[in-house]
Amino acid sequence: MQRQRDGRPNPQALLARLEHGQTGTQGRLKLFLGYAAGVGKTYAMLQAAHRELAQGRDVVIGYVETHQRPETLALLDGLPLLPRQTITHREISLEEFDLDGCLERHPQLVLVDELAHTNAPGSRHQKRYQDVEELLQAGIDVYSTLNIQHLESLNDVVHQITGVRVRETLPDSVLERATALSLVDLPPEELLTRLQKGHVYQGTKADAAARNFFRPGNLTALRELALRRAADRVDDDVINYMQRRSIAGPWPVAERLLVAVGPSPLSERLVRAARRLADALSAEWWAVSVRSGAPLSPAAEDRVSRHLQLAESLGARTEVVSGLSIPEAVTEFARSHNVTKIVAGKPLQQRWARVDLVDQLIRLSGDVDVFVVSGQSDSPTLSEQKSPGHRPVSRYVKAVAAVLLMTGACFPISALLAPTNLVMLYLLVVTLVAYWLGRGPSAVASALSVALFDFCFVPPYYTFVVSDKQYVVTFLGLLAVSLSISTLTARAREQALAARSREEETANLFALSRALSQAMGEDEIGRVIADYASRQLKLEVRFLKPDYHEWEPFQNESQRAVAMWAMEHRQLAGKGTDTLNQSEVLCLPILSIEHGQLLGGLVMPLESPLSPVRHRLLETYGRQAAMALERSRLSVSAQESDLLKATERLQSALLNSISHDLRIPLVSISGALQALKDELPGEQREQLLDNALSESDRLNRIVGNLLHMTRLESGVVSVNLQPQEPGEIVEMTLNTLRHPSRVRVQLPPDPPMVQVDFGLLQQALANLVENALKFSPPESQVEIGLNSGPQAELWVRDFGPGVAESERDQVFDRFYRGRPEVPGSGLGLSICKGLVEAQGGKIRVEDAKPGARFVISLNWAQAHE
């Protein structure tokens, strides 16, 4: 296994091996990639299927589009074919891949042609590649075909080349998840010859294709796109293979360059030289900044940020990595990314106490070539990169003071201890100085400790003359051990600080992701992301909505102009960028991951450009915000979709429920009037008139119920609560009924008044009585009564079949009909509930044995026991 320099296994290699091992439970996808129709993708796929069938595998054809090409049709012989699914859309029958049939059949390998195809409406998935993903999840291997123009990332490029906007696209991640990729290539001249012979399209369709899409220039450009994408895929496969097999590399199958940049102005020269070399070699290249040791000064961070931005503008991929030393981090990154050449700067000055970084890089590079670029004489060296503020004199003064204090403390005990034992106290001082003040002060403390130990505690005293030669070994040992301890302690402190910084950043991002997962709505998401970004970046970060009319005021119009430009152009703008660099703010637009849709933005005031680390942290917050905002919008869209579906179901249920009830009264009224027109005898005419009036009343009640339901749903019911006499309400209700004789009233004499709306309660009571009459035997009566108690309980009882206990909550739902054979719209009881609750009351149903009792609980006009 590939190992790091300290002997530990490389975590990236371990992860790559683990991820590769986890793919065994899923099916494998093999894509046959081409640049246009007719190059032979389906033909090559069928040939590969025959080879698999000959090896004994269970192979079936799920969906193959032959376009009636004879050579393709001939390859169908001998391969089992799954029946296609027929879907009817707008009275047109469409044949699609039968996903459920394939899952039930569960072959070892299935052929599904045209991966980017859009399924017919009514299919389980919108796109065919989603069907394929479900097959892969089920452990079924899939062969499929794809043209390069169907990749989402190339949609604009293909449109620019061909002038045709391809509508059927799929995400690039589908191509990346493919286990194998087979490029099916054909020279454009041969493809045009096939087109002319009618082997691709036939008739007028072939002539139109030759005039538009199938032009030689278009085909050549699309072919280049397909070849490049296949080469990129092969290159990725090489890197993945090296990681899985723990091969250190590099394998120079393709040139890759790496340039290490730092705060030195020489880095600009290195970046430009790397770009020229990359162009000459047609190579991909990286610009890497290494974080090792103590943090850089703000000025140095600013220079590193500018150098990385320059590299990005010249086409480099930039990274910020951490390591114990710069050469080790650079070479480790080069090996893990299969880099073949490293560009480094030539040191301008040599110092005896300084180990040359380029020499270390050359020694550690192994098979990687190192290009050394010379710098101008006025360019500062690596040792001059740090500003005076980054290495203050006060730290060295404190180191000297610490050694002097320890020397003074040793005088009282020097008579009790041997001089060699005092060495331990000086080592303690050196260790503390290295931990608190850094490497430079600790080195000064080491040298000063040796000198003061010799001067003060080694005879002859107060002179640097040594009488005993053995003390020379003590001095050298003290100096060597002091320098070693100071170096190791300083490095441990720097690593601890870096680890703490990474831990804080990781914990903050984890807390951010957890807070975003709980945030509901764009406003709350924006507030969360702004708060966390402000705390981590130590800046005043604001979240901007996509609509600039909703923005809070800026300090000045120039800041607002920067934000508007960044949002309109969907590009980073402001301080430290190539656009509006002199501005006092930085604005990062937040774009959706899939389609680049503007979701919002982050804006912050800056006095100096962000460091590369803080810049990448800001981009991380932007990506987190994009995912959260997309999730919020998808949630809103899902709710709107559910609401729309519920509305459609409600409309459908309403039409199904009332169409029959509306049609019967209308037919009865129409028939009665037609009979009257034909001058029937008087007795029959009277009977028909009664029937017409009854049905018109029934129709009027249905329409009235619909109107009441509409008013209740819209919340526009006005309630006028007044003291009312229950007897008057019952009397007025009976006057509206067609058969008041079937109602028996059981009210107590002179009942107290109730606090209700007269009209609403009368309507609710009428609906209850009508419902009771419908469910009671024809000759039976319905009872109305009033119970006294803390609340008035006005009840209606029928003598029908009653209401089962499991249905007592459902009977008040809209369109619920307990007995479908009984005519009605299923709205009456639902309207009763709405009218009663609008007055502050409640309604329930009880078992009356026989029948059911519906009870309306209302408030008395005055306190009543």
Side-chain angles (χ1 to χ4, degrees):
M1 176 176 293
Q2 182 181 349
R3 295 182 177 270
Q4 303 180 90
R5 291 183 57 83
D6 56 5
R8 293 175 298 166
N10 190 310
Q12 292 184 352
L14 287 172
L15 182 61
R17 175 174 293 185
L18 179 62
E19 291 177 347
H20 180 70
Q22 289 176 346
T23 60
T25 58
Q26 296 186 358
R28 296 177 176 271
L29 172 63
K30 181 175 182 179
L31 284 180
F32 293 82
L33 180 66
Y35 67 88
V39 297
K41 301 181 299 299
T42 304
Y43 188 86
M45 179 177 67
L46 291 172
Q47 285 184 323
H50 276 285
R51 290 192 294 269
E52 295 294 325
L53 185 66
Q55 295 178 5
R57 297 194 67 189
D58 182 13
V59 182
V60 299
I61 296 178
Y63 188 96
V64 167
E65 190 62 64
T66 63
H67 297 286
Q68 300 303 316
R69 297 167 186 162
E71 64 275 15
T72 306
L73 290 170
L75 288 176
L76 296 180
D77 295 339
L79 292 174
L81 183 65
L82 283 178
R84 296 183 180 182
Q85 180 184 10
T86 302
I87 298 178
T88 302
H89 178 62
R90 294 181 180 178
E91 300 182 355
I92 299 177
S93 296
L94 302 173
E95 290 188 347
E96 292 290 351
F97 169 60
D98 187 2
L99 175 60
D100 291 327
C102 185
L103 291 173
E104 183 179 357
R105 170 70 166 74
H106 206 282
Q108 291 180 309
L109 173 64
V110 61
L111 277 60
V112 183
D113 207 1
E114 297 183 355
L115 188 61
H117 171 74
T118 300
N119 292 330
S123 303
R124 181 186 308 174
H125 298 131
Q126 183 180 4
K127 292 286 189 176
R128 182 168 290 168
Y129 76 84
Q130 296 171 322
D131 295 339
V132 170
E133 288 177 342
E134 187 169 345
L135 294 175
L136 298 175
Q137 291 290 337
I140 302 175
D141 293 345
V142 179
Y143 282 1
S144 189
T145 62
L146 178 69
N147 280 329
I148 192 66
Q149 62 265 28
H150 293 294
L151 288 180
E152 180 66 37
S153 64
L154 298 178
N155 191 261
D156 294 332
V157 177
V158 173
H159 178 258
Q160 183 179 0
I161 294 173
T162 64
V164 177
R165 177 68 70 180
V166 178
R167 301 301 177 185
E168 289 189 331
T169 60
L170 51 77
D172 292 45
S173 58
V174 177
L175 180 62
E176 295 169 358
R177 286 197 297 268
T179 308
L181 182 68
S182 178
L183 179 65
V184 182
D185 187 41
L186 188 69
E189 296 79 7
E190 296 185 19
L191 179 59
L192 291 174
T193 301
R194 285 174 49 82
L195 181 66
Q196 293 173 357
K197 293 181 179 180
H199 294 167
V200 180
Y201 300 120
Q202 297 179 355
T204 57
K205 190 175 181 180
D207 296 336
R211 290 192 304 268
N212 298 294
F213 194 85
F214 280 74
R215 289 179 293 181
N218 293 351
L219 298 179
T220 302
L222 293 174
R223 186 189 188 196
E224 181 179 359
L225 288 177
L227 292 172
R228 287 185 179 274
R229 183 52 64 97
D232 292 341
R233 172 55 190 265
V234 172
D235 196 46
D236 293 338
D237 290 343
V238 171
I239 295 178
N240 293 333
Y241 178 83
M242 293 172 63
Q243 291 180 348
R244 292 197 304 268
R245 299 302 179 100
S246 303
I247 299 174
W251 281 2
V253 293
E255 297 291 352
R256 281 190 177 86
L257 270 67
L258 183 150
V259 57
V261 300
S264 170
L266 177 60
S267 294
E268 293 186 11
R269 183 181 179 89
L270 295 179
V271 168
R272 296 188 181 97
R275 169 56 194 261
R276 292 193 299 271
L277 185 59
D279 287 344
L281 299 174
S282 299
E284 183 181 11
W285 63 296
W286 279 268
V288 177
S289 175
V290 180
R291 292 291 182 267
S292 64
L296 297 175
S297 66
E301 285 280 11
D302 182 36
R303 291 194 295 270
V304 172
S305 177
R306 291 200 304 269
H307 297 156
L308 291 177
Q309 290 174 8
L310 174 63
E312 286 184 348
S313 66
L314 295 178
R317 298 170 60 180
T318 59
E319 293 286 346
V320 178
V321 298
S322 300
L324 298 178
S325 69
I326 294 177
E328 291 180 2
V330 169
T331 53
E332 183 178 348
F333 183 90
R335 289 190 179 93
S336 63
H337 291 77
N338 205 28
V339 170
T340 59
K341 291 176 174 56
I342 297 176
V343 179
K346 179 180 179 181
L348 301 178
Q349 299 179 8
Q350 297 290 344
R351 298 187 181 182
W352 67 272
R354 176 178 171 272
V355 180
D356 185 18
L357 297 181
V358 175
D359 291 340
Q360 295 184 55
L361 190 62
I362 294 174
R363 178 170 52 84
L364 298 173
S365 61
D367 295 332
V368 181
D369 299 331
V370 178
F371 287 75
V372 181
V373 179
S374 63
Q376 301 296 330
S377 58
D378 57 348
S379 298
T381 62
L382 185 65
S383 62
E384 299 170 338
Q385 292 173 2
K386 298 178 181 178
S387 63
H390 186 65
R391 190 172 52 187
V393 178
S394 61
R395 293 192 295 134
Y396 292 87
V397 173
K398 292 177 181 178
V400 173
V403 176
L404 293 176
L405 288 175
M406 178 55 69
T407 302
C410 288
F411 272 107
I413 61 175
S414 60
L416 302 176
L417 298 175
T420 53
N421 292 330
L422 298 178
V423 171
M424 299 296 105
L425 299 178
Y426 280 106
L427 289 178
L428 175 61
V429 172
V430 170
T431 303
L432 295 176
V433 169
Y435 182 78
W436 292 110
L437 301 178
R439 299 190 187 190
S442 65
V444 172
S446 300
L448 185 59
S449 297
V450 174
L452 289 178
F453 174 72
D454 178 23
F455 188 79
C456 299
F457 302 108
V458 176
Y461 300 110
Y462 310 116
T463 178
F464 290 106
V465 177
V466 179
S467 59
D468 190 348
K469 304 298 184 182
Q470 294 182 0
Y471 278 108
V472 175
V473 178
T474 303
F475 298 155
L476 295 177
L478 174 59
L479 180 62
V481 173
S482 299
L483 291 175
S484 300
I485 289 178
S486 64
T487 301
L488 294 175
T489 304
R491 176 177 293 182
R493 180 176 181 271
E494 292 165 356
Q495 293 177 0
L497 292 175
R500 183 185 304 172
S501 176
R502 290 193 295 269
E503 181 183 359
E504 291 178 355
E505 181 180 330
T506 303
N508 193 278
L509 290 176
F510 175 75
L512 171 64
S513 61
R514 183 171 57 184
L516 288 177
S517 66
Q518 299 173 354
M520 301 299 295
E522 295 186 4
D523 292 338
E524 187 175 355
I525 291 174
R527 184 169 58 256
V528 168
I529 198 72
D531 290 343
Y532 275 84
S534 298
R535 288 200 300 267
Q536 189 72 7
L537 299 175
K538 296 178 176 61
L539 296 169
E540 184 182 351
V541 182
R542 287 173 51 189
F543 174 76
L544 301 178
K545 293 185 177 181
D547 186 1
Y548 66 88
H549 293 97
E550 301 182 32
W551 293 355
E552 296 180 1
F554 284 79
Q555 293 183 357
N556 52 62
E557 285 300 320
S558 62
Q559 296 182 0
R560 182 181 178 86
V562 172
M564 291 184 64
W565 191 96
M567 301 286 274
E568 290 176 0
H569 293 81
R570 303 182 182 182
Q571 296 179 11
L572 186 68
K575 195 75 171 181
T577 67
D578 295 333
T579 304
L580 304 173
N581 186 34
Q582 301 302 318
S583 174
E584 301 174 352
V585 297
L586 176 67
C587 183
L588 172 70
I590 300 174
L591 307 178
S592 62
I593 306 300
E594 285 283 339
H595 306 292
Q597 180 183 3
L598 182 64
L599 304 175
L602 296 176
V603 63
M604 66 218 70
L606 291 178
E607 296 181 358
S608 61
L610 292 176
S611 66
V613 175
R614 299 175 78 194
H615 190 275
R616 278 161 176 74
L617 188 60
L618 176 63
E619 291 180 342
T620 301
Y621 281 120
R623 287 192 292 269
Q624 292 285 336
M627 290 187 290
L629 290 171
E630 276 193 302
R631 172 182 57 79
S632 176
R633 292 196 173 187
L634 289 175
S635 176
V636 173
S637 299
Q639 292 177 1
E640 293 177 350
S641 178
D642 292 341
L643 180 60
L644 181 60
K645 291 179 180 178
T647 303
E648 292 177 351
R649 287 195 299 267
L650 178 61
Q651 293 174 350
S652 177
L654 178 63
L655 292 175
N656 293 334
S657 178
I658 68 173
S659 60
H660 182 70
D661 294 315
L662 289 176
R663 187 177 296 112
I664 292 177
L666 290 175
V667 171
S668 299
I669 295 172
S670 176
L673 295 177
Q674 183 65 38
L676 291 174
K677 182 179 178 181
D678 295 338
E679 297 182 356
L680 289 175
E683 182 179 352
Q684 295 181 358
R685 180 182 303 178
E686 188 71 22
Q687 184 178 3
L688 288 176
L689 285 174
D690 289 340
N691 184 48
L693 287 174
S694 175
E695 295 298 338
S696 64
D697 289 343
R698 180 182 171 192
L699 181 60
N700 186 51
R701 285 194 302 272
I702 294 175
V703 175
N705 283 339
L706 291 175
L707 292 176
H708 279 298
M709 179 58 65
T710 303
R711 294 171 61 198
L712 289 172
E713 290 291 333
S714 60
V716 298
V717 176
S718 59
V719 181
N720 183 20
L721 298 179
Q722 297 288 339
Q724 305 291 344
E725 293 185 359
E728 293 185 3
I729 297 174
V730 173
E731 183 179 354
M732 291 298 297
T733 302
L734 295 179
N735 293 336
T736 63
L737 301 177
R738 293 289 298 169
H739 304 286
S741 60
R742 292 185 57 190
V743 180
R744 182 168 64 248
V745 179
Q746 296 181 353
L747 295 180
D750 299 326
M753 292 186 176
V754 290
Q755 191 78 5
V756 296
D757 184 298
F758 190 96
L760 296 183
L761 184 58
Q762 177 189 336
Q763 179 64 42
L765 190 60
N767 282 354
L768 284 179
V769 175
E770 290 287 351
N771 184 76
L773 291 173
K774 284 193 300 183
F775 284 89
S776 296
E779 302 301 327
S780 65
Q781 287 189 320
V782 171
E783 296 179 351
I784 299 179
L786 178 67
N787 295 337
S788 298
Q791 284 188 311
E793 292 189 344
L794 186 64
W795 52 266
V796 176
R797 178 189 176 183
D798 64 60
F799 292 87
V803 179
E805 185 175 358
S806 60
E807 298 180 352
R808 291 180 185 177
D809 292 332
Q810 300 177 355
V811 293
F812 296 105
D813 294 341
R814 288 174 299 180
F815 307 115
Y816 181 80
R817 298 169 64 183
R819 298 175 63 186
E821 66 273 11
V822 178
S825 61
L827 291 174
L829 293 180
S830 176
I831 293 174
C832 285
K833 181 181 178 182
L835 294 175
V836 170
E837 291 180 349
Q839 303 173 74
K842 294 182 179 179
I843 186 171
R844 68 181 187 273
V845 60
E846 300 175 344
D847 188 5
K849 294 182 180 180
R853 180 186 293 110
F854 289 85
V855 182
I856 300 176
S857 299
L858 300 167
N859 295 323
W860 298 105
Q862 296 179 353
H864 180 79
E865 296 294 339

